[in-house]
Amino acid sequence: MERYASAVSGVRERLGAMLFSRVAGPEGPATRDRIHHAPGPRWFGPDRPIRAVHGDASMYIGGLRALLLQSLHPLAMAAVAAHSGYQGDPWGRLQRTSTFLAVTTFGTAADAQAAVDRVRAVHEAVRGTTDRGEPYHAADPHLLGWVHVAEVDSFLRAHQRYGEHPLDDAACDGYVDDTAHIAAALGVLNPPRNRAELVERLHAYRPELRATAEATAARFLLLRPPLPLAVRPPYAVLAANAVADLPPWARGPLGLPRVPMLEPTAVRLAGHALTRTIRWVMTAPSMPRPT
């Protein structure tokens, strides 16, 4: 029994290290130590809802859903396609995004502000025109607002469905309010402060959304993920749940079919099993939870 437990522990450690390196990159361990152990005040205290959401395995599903939803805004997707290298370097983009979320959620206030300042500098330089001649600027507050609400809606919905401890109504509003602090720092004007405002803002963007070549190309994250064959089956479960959680109005333009008989049952059950497994792997002794 002792040998079996040791073997299971070893597998858990290796899987945790492999997953963490993919998400956090080669500097992940040093960055994690600085984020969680550097002294100083934080933007969010230990009891804030944003810490519960952003520290949970449900973020894997929510993050992919957010990318798919964001791709429906032609100006946002033109900026991403032209400047971020999301197809040539998807893991690099994931690592930068996950580090930004971790720093602003759990890091010191000074580190959080520095991360925001770096992103704002990058956004300021990203500008161009779409194939239709529409100008875009990544620092445009309206465009930043779309990226923000798509992320917040995706992260919260995934947490409420797959999170270890779903939030009550007041905490859901608190999560939206917490994220508004980061959004405002990035340049979003009047970000939503509760779920009602979040729903209203999402609805307001809908007339601007449409399918584009870049949005269709974003499906490569579902169809041709840059992953070894051995890990594609669990990734397929993650992707299926991200797609199933998209609103119906978003799936048609992206060419993503619905499977009504499977999504509420087999797909969702597999999603719960996957997030439980990720949570177990990522809370191995060498992978402490955020504090």
Side-chain angles (χ1 to χ4, degrees), residues 161-180:
R161 179 159 289 173
Y162 304 102
E164 185 174 20
H165 301 293
L167 307 178
D168 61 22
D169 290 345
C172 285
D173 286 340
Y175 171 69
V176 179
D177 190 56
D178 286 345
T179 61

Side-chain angles (χ1 to χ4, degrees), residues 151-239:
E151 283 187 352
V152 173
D153 183 68
S154 295
F155 296 160
L156 183 56
R157 285 180 181 273
H159 184 81
Q160 293 304 95
R161 179 159 289 173
Y162 304 102
E164 185 174 20
H165 301 293
L167 307 178
D168 61 22
D169 290 345
C172 285
D173 286 340
Y175 171 69
V176 179
D177 190 56
D178 286 345
T179 61
H181 180 91
I182 301 171
L186 285 169
V188 178
L189 301 179
N190 190 29
R193 296 284 179 175
N194 54 53
R195 284 176 300 166
E197 292 181 4
L198 176 63
V199 170
E200 181 182 349
R201 196 69 55 86
L202 277 168
H203 182 75
Y205 276 102
R206 283 189 58 184
E208 303 173 31
L209 309 180
R210 67 173 188 266
T212 62
E214 291 87 359
T216 303
R219 291 188 303 168
F220 93 99
L221 291 167
L222 305 176
L223 305 176
R224 300 185 303 279
L227 293 167
L229 290 176
V231 297
R232 288 194 180 186
Y235 181 83
V237 172
L238 185 153

Side-chain angles (χ1 to χ4, degrees), residues 7-19:
V8 169
S9 178
V11 169
R12 184 183 184 186
E13 295 273 355
R14 287 193 296 275
L15 288 174
M18 181 179 69
L19 182 58

Side-chain angles (χ1 to χ4, degrees), residues 1-33:
M1 181 63 71
E2 217 172 282
R3 184 176 298 176
Y4 173 77
S6 176
V8 169
S9 178
V11 169
R12 184 183 184 186
E13 295 273 355
R14 287 193 296 275
L15 288 174
M18 181 179 69
L19 182 58
F20 183 73
S21 68
R22 282 287 189 177
V23 173
E27 302 299 320
T31 301
R32 180 185 59 202
D33 288 344

